[in-house]
């Protein structure tokens, strides 16, 4: 019933088909698994037209049995057949042969879409996915920044740019606007607090950087010498507008437009005020700085708890001490606390004002740009009763950024509590 | 002459062979390039027996011309022929076909070792390298953590573990002790200050983490359900010895031995003192904490400048203020400085005691373990006259860790200055 109102409703059902999964995880005989395939797909088809079925751990499944399962799924009405490399085990020609074998042997295979779902445990998820497509698969399950269980899944940005760049040997289209890749990657890295490493393909900080003298010399003579795709093609643009202390409202508004932000008037005024504040502290304002402050501004909107003031005394003498003032629903409250390190002291002070039992599984600092006057961007994750929230904060002062991130996470946690509370009451 | 005293002397010479590189970068006609191949390999062979020759941008080189160049290199005495995918452009079957074609067509190919050198711009460096090996290559040029120009090179850890895990389809041996992979990865990440992303294959923090309920359930029943290699096989070991406040000298010594550290008596006493200090501030001492403090201790050894004391006042009120005392060659000096943010203030205070003109292209904070009482590990990179040094520091207080890292970088810079000074004098 959950999908009844969806525009393009689809149900995805799956079961493991490999000997090791059937024996230990499912504790089922193969014949029972086969019956479950038919039953689950049939049941899904009673609700929607579009049903995807996956053979979990397909790459470690015995071929004849996999063919029988896929055939059963198609007969029961599955429209997409997904062949996951659940443990990131396969190599390209093996995966190519597997998909080709299924399309060749299974009756009705020509009427469904085959799909790849590759994990990156051995570093070959992208090559395997594309090998599957060359064998006839027409859906690639992939993720931005290659996130996913363990070493993650095939990275969307790599799959898409490989098809675009090597369209001569991979003659397929994806329908994706590649110039949005960089922004999507940054958004996902921010929300998940999973940083992208510098040398990550396509979206890493250095993916388009030419460091060695030989490479730089070649690039200056002709950029095709060391570049097979342009930074612009993935949405990495060097801006013509450099912002600083003397940039006014108009220039800032133009800049935001150029960067793809649309802010309402109040949000714009707030962002501009923080921009001027930042320009007083920092000589060069880079695009990343503006991104950080606008994203932070947007995240802070409509929040119950706000940071008013913070003073921290840190250093080798210890114990570190923090004094914080928060605006909690309009009332200012101030507390002082000590801690093991200045961040601990700051968080203890916040906790003294807003008591809670949430755990802190993640605290992370990134420098948004370079230099000591760079903005620090801090991510804080809080966990309570299995619910997880991530807050972010940016400032030239790491301690202030940390406090903002913690407060942002607390606000999100409160929103989640309110959302789940009615359910709890209904259930009891 | 530089290699004359080496145990296994080898000279590696290369030239570009692709049309775009020859025309724009080299501005040479193909025939001149061919002559240069013979000349450079011949010259190298006059010095050593073992000569590797590379066809830069080989994957975008016209096949007939590549064959002529490889033939010329072999005739001139090259013993290893390296076929780089310089721009990260190729796909596995294409690269397999290229290596197979060369081995098939070039006279003398059976007497040399073919080598792969793949870049990861489209995310397929590992798959391409292994495809080359299957075609007959017997040397893989790869790097720890996949570092290298732009998106980097094939990752050593992925190539090695793919061969080990899928020895059924990749029947080769590498001679590498895989249990050292994790330590090598951490060392390289630390020295280069290039962090490894959480979902990086093999060496990422989450590479062996099973997060979803379905996966966790399977792992509990049988770890082969979702694990194709064990964490232990790459040197990731959960230690039996948990350290804390009450752990004594003996337990600490055992722990260090278990972790593979061999410290001299003085270094051990220093490390133990810092361990006790840390145990006072932090409830659980993880292996990572000990690693950070021992590595930091080892890095600090025999240094001219040492951190004595630091007090920082940070917060939203600004300007931030730092008071620092350094031991410079035995003399204590204290300065106070303000800055944009507490880190900036701290660094300004250090600079007031040790004036210099070095730039700061990198400042980075990692939390070594989780929680707010975690140790922060800070990397600081300084650049002066094209020389680059990276310093690291660890502490539960980010500010203290930052000061340690900056001081460590300054010490390294001074060592570099001394080393290069005699040369400068000789040259002038």
């Amino acid at each position: 019933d959950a999908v009844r109102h969806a525009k393009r409703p689809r149900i995805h059902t799956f079961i493991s088909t490999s000997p090791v999964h059937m024996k230990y995880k499912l504790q089922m005989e193969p014949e029972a698994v086969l019956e479950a395939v038919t039953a689950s797909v049939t049941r899904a088809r009673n609700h929607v037209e579009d049903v995807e079925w996956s053979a979990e751990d397909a790459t470690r499944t015995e071929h004849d049995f996999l063919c029988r399962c896929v055939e059963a799924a198609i007969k029961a009405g599955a429209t997409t057949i997904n062949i996951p490399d659940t443990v990131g085990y396969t190599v390209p020609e093996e995966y190519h042969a597997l998909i080709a074998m299924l399309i060749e042997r299974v009756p009705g295979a020509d009427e469904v879409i085959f799909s790849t779902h590759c994990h990156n445990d051995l570093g070959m998820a992208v090559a395997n996915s594309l090998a599957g497509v060359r064998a006839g698969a027409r859906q690639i399950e992939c993720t931005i920044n290659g996130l996913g269980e363990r070493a993650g899944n095939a990275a969307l940005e790599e799959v898409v740019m490989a098809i675009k760049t090597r369209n001569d040997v991979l003659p397929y289209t994806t329908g994706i606007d590649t110039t949005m890749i960089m922004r999507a990657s940054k958004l996902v890295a921010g929300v998940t607090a999973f940083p992208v490493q510098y040398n990550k393909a396509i979206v890493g900080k250095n993916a388009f950087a030419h460091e060695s003298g030989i490479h730089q010399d070649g690039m200056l003579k002709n950029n095709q010498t060391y570049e097979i795709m342009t930074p612009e093609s993935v949405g990495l643009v060097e801006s013509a507008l450099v912002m600083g202390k003397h940039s006014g409202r108009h220039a800032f508004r133009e800049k935001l437009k150029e960067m793809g932000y649309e802010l309402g008037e109040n949000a714009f005024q707030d962002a501009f005020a923080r921009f001027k504040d930042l320009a007083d502290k920092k000589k060069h304002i880079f695009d990343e700085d503006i991104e950080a402050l606008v994203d932070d501004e947007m995240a802070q909107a409509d929040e119950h708890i706000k940071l008013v003031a913070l003073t921290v005394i840190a250093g080798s003498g210890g114990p570190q001490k923090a004094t914080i003032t928060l605006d909690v629903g309009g009332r200012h409250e101030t507390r002082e606390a000590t801690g093991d390190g200045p961040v601990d002291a700051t968080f203890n002070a916040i906790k003294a004002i807003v008591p809670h039992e949430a755990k802190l599984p993640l605290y992370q600092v990134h420098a948004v740009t370079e230099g000591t006057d760079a903005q620090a961007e801090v991510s804080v994750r809080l966990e309570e009763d299995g619910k997880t929230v991530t807050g972010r904060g940016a400032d030239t002062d790491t301690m202030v950024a940390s406090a903002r991130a913690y407060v942002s996470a607390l606000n999100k946690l409160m929103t989640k509590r309110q959302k789940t509370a009615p359910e709890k009451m209904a259930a009891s």
Side-chain angles (χ1 to χ4, degrees), chain A residues 90-113:
Chain A
T90 200
V91 301
E93 53 277 71
E94 186 180 46
Y95 195 66
H96 183 282
L98 183 67
I99 302 286
M101 186 272 298
L102 290 168
I103 293 178
E104 161 100 24
R105 282 180 54 186
V106 177
D110 52 332
E111 279 159 36
V112 299
I113 300 281

PDB file of all heavy atoms in Angstrom, chain A residues 90-113:
ATOM      1  N   THR A  90      33.546 -10.450  -7.948  1.00  0.00           N
ATOM      2  CA  THR A  90      33.733 -10.828  -9.345  1.00  0.00           C
ATOM      3  C   THR A  90      34.780  -9.962 -10.049  1.00  0.00           C
ATOM      4  O   THR A  90      35.240  -8.949  -9.511  1.00  0.00           O
ATOM      5  CB  THR A  90      32.377 -10.765 -10.091  1.00  0.00           C
ATOM      6  OG1 THR A  90      32.441 -11.546 -11.277  1.00  0.00           O
ATOM      7  CG2 THR A  90      31.992  -9.334 -10.438  1.00  0.00           C
ATOM      8  N   VAL A  91      35.191 -10.388 -11.244  1.00  0.00           N
ATOM      9  CA  VAL A  91      36.100  -9.616 -12.091  1.00  0.00           C
ATOM     10  C   VAL A  91      35.370  -9.386 -13.422  1.00  0.00           C
ATOM     11  O   VAL A  91      34.431 -10.122 -13.743  1.00  0.00           O
ATOM     12  CB  VAL A  91      37.451 -10.344 -12.309  1.00  0.00           C
ATOM     13  CG1 VAL A  91      38.142 -10.592 -10.974  1.00  0.00           C
ATOM     14  CG2 VAL A  91      37.269 -11.647 -13.064  1.00  0.00           C
ATOM     15  N   PRO A  92      35.795  -8.365 -14.203  1.00  0.00           N
ATOM     16  CA  PRO A  92      34.972  -7.966 -15.343  1.00  0.00           C
ATOM     17  C   PRO A  92      34.574  -9.079 -16.305  1.00  0.00           C
ATOM     18  O   PRO A  92      33.394  -9.211 -16.643  1.00  0.00           O
ATOM     19  CB  PRO A  92      35.810  -6.883 -16.028  1.00  0.00           C
ATOM     20  CG  PRO A  92      36.625  -6.296 -14.928  1.00  0.00           C
ATOM     21  CD  PRO A  92      36.924  -7.440 -13.992  1.00  0.00           C
ATOM     22  N   GLU A  93      35.505  -9.897 -16.785  1.00  0.00           N
ATOM     23  CA  GLU A  93      35.085 -10.877 -17.811  1.00  0.00           C
ATOM     24  C   GLU A  93      34.171 -11.948 -17.239  1.00  0.00           C
ATOM     25  O   GLU A  93      33.310 -12.478 -17.937  1.00  0.00           O
ATOM     26  CB  GLU A  93      36.260 -11.498 -18.574  1.00  0.00           C
ATOM     27  CG  GLU A  93      37.327 -12.113 -17.728  1.00  0.00           C
ATOM     28  CD  GLU A  93      38.273 -11.055 -17.256  1.00  0.00           C
ATOM     29  OE1 GLU A  93      37.847 -10.246 -16.386  1.00  0.00           O
ATOM     30  OE2 GLU A  93      39.410 -11.008 -17.720  1.00  0.00           O
ATOM     31  N   GLU A  94      34.345 -12.236 -15.956  1.00  0.00           N
ATOM     32  CA  GLU A  94      33.485 -13.216 -15.299  1.00  0.00           C
ATOM     33  C   GLU A  94      32.056 -12.674 -15.210  1.00  0.00           C
ATOM     34  O   GLU A  94      31.083 -13.384 -15.474  1.00  0.00           O
ATOM     35  CB  GLU A  94      34.045 -13.458 -13.891  1.00  0.00           C
ATOM     36  CG  GLU A  94      33.399 -14.545 -13.079  1.00  0.00           C
ATOM     37  CD  GLU A  94      34.077 -14.641 -11.701  1.00  0.00           C
ATOM     38  OE1 GLU A  94      34.301 -13.587 -11.072  1.00  0.00           O
ATOM     39  OE2 GLU A  94      34.385 -15.766 -11.284  1.00  0.00           O
ATOM     40  N   TYR A  95      31.946 -11.396 -14.827  1.00  0.00           N
ATOM     41  CA  TYR A  95      30.619 -10.792 -14.690  1.00  0.00           C
ATOM     42  C   TYR A  95      29.955 -10.634 -16.062  1.00  0.00           C
ATOM     43  O   TYR A  95      28.759 -10.855 -16.214  1.00  0.00           O
ATOM     44  CB  TYR A  95      30.745  -9.434 -13.979  1.00  0.00           C
ATOM     45  CG  TYR A  95      29.437  -8.894 -13.475  1.00  0.00           C
ATOM     46  CD1 TYR A  95      28.742  -9.537 -12.452  1.00  0.00           C
ATOM     47  CD2 TYR A  95      28.875  -7.739 -14.026  1.00  0.00           C
ATOM     48  CE1 TYR A  95      27.531  -9.053 -11.990  1.00  0.00           C
ATOM     49  CE2 TYR A  95      27.671  -7.241 -13.561  1.00  0.00           C
ATOM     50  CZ  TYR A  95      27.000  -7.902 -12.544  1.00  0.00           C
ATOM     51  OH  TYR A  95      25.798  -7.410 -12.094  1.00  0.00           O
ATOM     52  N   HIS A  96      30.761 -10.267 -17.064  1.00  0.00           N
ATOM     53  CA  HIS A  96      30.269 -10.176 -18.441  1.00  0.00           C
ATOM     54  C   HIS A  96      29.702 -11.531 -18.865  1.00  0.00           C
ATOM     55  O   HIS A  96      28.581 -11.630 -19.398  1.00  0.00           O
ATOM     56  CB  HIS A  96      31.412  -9.752 -19.368  1.00  0.00           C
ATOM     57  CG  HIS A  96      31.010  -9.549 -20.801  1.00  0.00           C
ATOM     58  ND1 HIS A  96      30.816 -10.586 -21.674  1.00  0.00           N
ATOM     59  CD2 HIS A  96      30.753  -8.425 -21.504  1.00  0.00           C
ATOM     60  CE1 HIS A  96      30.460 -10.118 -22.859  1.00  0.00           C
ATOM     61  NE2 HIS A  96      30.412  -8.795 -22.785  1.00  0.00           N
ATOM     62  N   ALA A  97      30.453 -12.586 -18.604  1.00  0.00           N
ATOM     63  CA  ALA A  97      30.036 -13.931 -19.000  1.00  0.00           C
ATOM     64  C   ALA A  97      28.752 -14.348 -18.263  1.00  0.00           C
ATOM     65  O   ALA A  97      27.888 -15.019 -18.842  1.00  0.00           O
ATOM     66  CB  ALA A  97      31.156 -14.932 -18.712  1.00  0.00           C
ATOM     67  N   LEU A  98      28.624 -13.936 -16.991  1.00  0.00           N
ATOM     68  CA  LEU A  98      27.450 -14.305 -16.201  1.00  0.00           C
ATOM     69  C   LEU A  98      26.169 -13.695 -16.784  1.00  0.00           C
ATOM     70  O   LEU A  98      25.161 -14.387 -16.976  1.00  0.00           O
ATOM     71  CB  LEU A  98      27.652 -13.848 -14.748  1.00  0.00           C
ATOM     72  CG  LEU A  98      26.551 -14.221 -13.755  1.00  0.00           C
ATOM     73  CD1 LEU A  98      26.487 -15.735 -13.540  1.00  0.00           C
ATOM     74  CD2 LEU A  98      26.765 -13.505 -12.418  1.00  0.00           C
ATOM     75  N   ILE A  99      26.226 -12.387 -17.057  1.00  0.00           N
ATOM     76  CA  ILE A  99      25.049 -11.700 -17.618  1.00  0.00           C
ATOM     77  C   ILE A  99      24.727 -12.282 -19.000  1.00  0.00           C
ATOM     78  O   ILE A  99      23.560 -12.573 -19.320  1.00  0.00           O
ATOM     79  CB  ILE A  99      25.300 -10.173 -17.723  1.00  0.00           C
ATOM     80  CG1 ILE A  99      25.629  -9.574 -16.342  1.00  0.00           C
ATOM     81  CG2 ILE A  99      24.106  -9.461 -18.370  1.00  0.00           C
ATOM     82  CD1 ILE A  99      24.486  -9.443 -15.401  1.00  0.00           C
ATOM     83  N   ALA A 100      25.765 -12.484 -19.828  1.00  0.00           N
ATOM     84  CA  ALA A 100      25.564 -13.027 -21.173  1.00  0.00           C
ATOM     85  C   ALA A 100      24.934 -14.421 -21.097  1.00  0.00           C
ATOM     86  O   ALA A 100      24.017 -14.747 -21.863  1.00  0.00           O
ATOM     87  CB  ALA A 100      26.895 -13.072 -21.923  1.00  0.00           C
ATOM     88  N   MET A 101      25.407 -15.232 -20.149  1.00  0.00           N
ATOM     89  CA  MET A 101      24.878 -16.583 -19.968  1.00  0.00           C
ATOM     90  C   MET A 101      23.388 -16.544 -19.634  1.00  0.00           C
ATOM     91  O   MET A 101      22.584 -17.287 -20.194  1.00  0.00           O
ATOM     92  CB  MET A 101      25.686 -17.269 -18.857  1.00  0.00           C
ATOM     93  CG  MET A 101      25.416 -18.727 -18.593  1.00  0.00           C
ATOM     94  SD  MET A 101      24.074 -19.047 -17.400  1.00  0.00           S
ATOM     95  CE  MET A 101      24.691 -18.276 -15.914  1.00  0.00           C
ATOM     96  N   LEU A 102      23.009 -15.650 -18.709  1.00  0.00           N
ATOM     97  CA  LEU A 102      21.600 -15.561 -18.304  1.00  0.00           C
ATOM     98  C   LEU A 102      20.711 -15.135 -19.471  1.00  0.00           C
ATOM     99  O   LEU A 102      19.655 -15.717 -19.715  1.00  0.00           O
ATOM    100  CB  LEU A 102      21.447 -14.561 -17.143  1.00  0.00           C
ATOM    101  CG  LEU A 102      22.033 -15.026 -15.806  1.00  0.00           C
ATOM    102  CD1 LEU A 102      22.087 -13.869 -14.818  1.00  0.00           C
ATOM    103  CD2 LEU A 102      21.210 -16.178 -15.230  1.00  0.00           C
ATOM    104  N   ILE A 103      21.166 -14.097 -20.210  1.00  0.00           N
ATOM    105  CA  ILE A 103      20.375 -13.599 -21.337  1.00  0.00           C
ATOM    106  C   ILE A 103      20.234 -14.681 -22.401  1.00  0.00           C
ATOM    107  O   ILE A 103      19.181 -14.845 -23.020  1.00  0.00           O
ATOM    108  CB  ILE A 103      21.021 -12.311 -21.913  1.00  0.00           C
ATOM    109  CG1 ILE A 103      20.900 -11.181 -20.864  1.00  0.00           C
ATOM    110  CG2 ILE A 103      20.383 -11.910 -23.237  1.00  0.00           C
ATOM    111  CD1 ILE A 103      21.530  -9.872 -21.268  1.00  0.00           C
ATOM    112  N   GLU A 104      21.289 -15.452 -22.587  1.00  0.00           N
ATOM    113  CA  GLU A 104      21.304 -16.534 -23.582  1.00  0.00           C
ATOM    114  C   GLU A 104      20.405 -17.704 -23.168  1.00  0.00           C
ATOM    115  O   GLU A 104      19.626 -18.211 -23.970  1.00  0.00           O
ATOM    116  CB  GLU A 104      22.765 -17.009 -23.723  1.00  0.00           C
ATOM    117  CG  GLU A 104      22.968 -18.381 -24.332  1.00  0.00           C
ATOM    118  CD  GLU A 104      23.347 -18.285 -25.786  1.00  0.00           C
ATOM    119  OE1 GLU A 104      23.887 -17.237 -26.176  1.00  0.00           O
ATOM    120  OE2 GLU A 104      23.094 -19.268 -26.524  1.00  0.00           O
ATOM    121  N   ARG A 105      20.498 -18.111 -21.877  1.00  0.00           N
ATOM    122  CA  ARG A 105      19.865 -19.370 -21.491  1.00  0.00           C
ATOM    123  C   ARG A 105      18.451 -19.265 -20.944  1.00  0.00           C
ATOM    124  O   ARG A 105      17.674 -20.216 -21.056  1.00  0.00           O
ATOM    125  CB  ARG A 105      20.738 -20.070 -20.426  1.00  0.00           C
ATOM    126  CG  ARG A 105      21.954 -20.767 -21.012  1.00  0.00           C
ATOM    127  CD  ARG A 105      22.782 -21.426 -19.931  1.00  0.00           C
ATOM    128  NE  ARG A 105      22.005 -22.337 -19.079  1.00  0.00           N
ATOM    129  CZ  ARG A 105      22.479 -22.952 -17.999  1.00  0.00           C
ATOM    130  NH1 ARG A 105      23.743 -22.748 -17.640  1.00  0.00           N
ATOM    131  NH2 ARG A 105      21.724 -23.750 -17.288  1.00  0.00           N
ATOM    132  N   VAL A 106      18.115 -18.121 -20.266  1.00  0.00           N
ATOM    133  CA  VAL A 106      16.826 -18.084 -19.560  1.00  0.00           C
ATOM    134  C   VAL A 106      15.669 -17.709 -20.496  1.00  0.00           C
ATOM    135  O   VAL A 106      15.714 -16.664 -21.145  1.00  0.00           O
ATOM    136  CB  VAL A 106      16.884 -17.092 -18.381  1.00  0.00           C
ATOM    137  CG1 VAL A 106      15.524 -16.993 -17.703  1.00  0.00           C
ATOM    138  CG2 VAL A 106      17.960 -17.513 -17.383  1.00  0.00           C
ATOM    139  N   PRO A 107      14.633 -18.555 -20.571  1.00  0.00           N
ATOM    140  CA  PRO A 107      13.469 -18.219 -21.398  1.00  0.00           C
ATOM    141  C   PRO A 107      12.817 -16.927 -20.902  1.00  0.00           C
ATOM    142  O   PRO A 107      12.661 -16.729 -19.700  1.00  0.00           O
ATOM    143  CB  PRO A 107      12.520 -19.409 -21.175  1.00  0.00           C
ATOM    144  CG  PRO A 107      13.380 -20.505 -20.651  1.00  0.00           C
ATOM    145  CD  PRO A 107      14.489 -19.849 -19.898  1.00  0.00           C
ATOM    146  N   GLY A 108      12.499 -16.037 -21.819  1.00  0.00           N
ATOM    147  CA  GLY A 108      11.851 -14.773 -21.455  1.00  0.00           C
ATOM    148  C   GLY A 108      12.839 -13.672 -21.105  1.00  0.00           C
ATOM    149  O   GLY A 108      12.431 -12.539 -20.792  1.00  0.00           O
ATOM    150  N   ALA A 109      14.151 -13.965 -21.156  1.00  0.00           N
ATOM    151  CA  ALA A 109      15.175 -12.980 -20.778  1.00  0.00           C
ATOM    152  C   ALA A 109      15.127 -11.740 -21.662  1.00  0.00           C
ATOM    153  O   ALA A 109      15.483 -10.643 -21.232  1.00  0.00           O
ATOM    154  CB  ALA A 109      16.564 -13.614 -20.838  1.00  0.00           C
ATOM    155  N   ASP A 110      14.666 -11.925 -22.910  1.00  0.00           N
ATOM    156  CA  ASP A 110      14.642 -10.783 -23.835  1.00  0.00           C
ATOM    157  C   ASP A 110      13.514  -9.799 -23.516  1.00  0.00           C
ATOM    158  O   ASP A 110      13.443  -8.721 -24.083  1.00  0.00           O
ATOM    159  CB  ASP A 110      14.526 -11.285 -25.281  1.00  0.00           C
ATOM    160  CG  ASP A 110      13.366 -12.265 -25.453  1.00  0.00           C
ATOM    161  OD1 ASP A 110      13.018 -12.955 -24.462  1.00  0.00           O
ATOM    162  OD2 ASP A 110      12.807 -12.332 -26.558  1.00  0.00           O
ATOM    163  N   GLU A 111      12.622 -10.176 -22.588  1.00  0.00           N
ATOM    164  CA  GLU A 111      11.501  -9.282 -22.285  1.00  0.00           C
ATOM    165  C   GLU A 111      11.685  -8.504 -20.988  1.00  0.00           C
ATOM    166  O   GLU A 111      10.793  -7.754 -20.587  1.00  0.00           O
ATOM    167  CB  GLU A 111      10.196 -10.090 -22.232  1.00  0.00           C
ATOM    168  CG  GLU A 111       9.644 -10.344 -23.634  1.00  0.00           C
ATOM    169  CD  GLU A 111       8.681 -11.518 -23.662  1.00  0.00           C
ATOM    170  OE1 GLU A 111       7.929 -11.681 -22.673  1.00  0.00           O
ATOM    171  OE2 GLU A 111       8.701 -12.257 -24.657  1.00  0.00           O
ATOM    172  N   VAL A 112      12.803  -8.727 -20.312  1.00  0.00           N
ATOM    173  CA  VAL A 112      13.041  -7.993 -19.064  1.00  0.00           C
ATOM    174  C   VAL A 112      14.322  -7.164 -19.177  1.00  0.00           C
ATOM    175  O   VAL A 112      15.106  -7.339 -20.100  1.00  0.00           O
ATOM    176  CB  VAL A 112      13.162  -8.953 -17.846  1.00  0.00           C
ATOM    177  CG1 VAL A 112      11.882  -9.735 -17.647  1.00  0.00           C
ATOM    178  CG2 VAL A 112      14.360  -9.886 -18.022  1.00  0.00           C
ATOM    179  N   ILE A 113      14.491  -6.262 -18.201  1.00  0.00           N
ATOM    180  CA  ILE A 113      15.717  -5.459 -18.124  1.00  0.00           C
ATOM    181  C   ILE A 113      16.653  -6.143 -17.130  1.00  0.00           C
ATOM    182  O   ILE A 113      16.252  -6.398 -15.996  1.00  0.00           O
ATOM    183  CB  ILE A 113      15.394  -4.043 -17.610  1.00  0.00           C
ATOM    184  CG1 ILE A 113      14.408  -3.307 -18.518  1.00  0.00           C
ATOM    185  CG2 ILE A 113      16.685  -3.238 -17.380  1.00  0.00           C
ATOM    186  CD1 ILE A 113      14.986  -2.722 -19.759  1.00  0.00           C
TER     187      ILE A 113
END
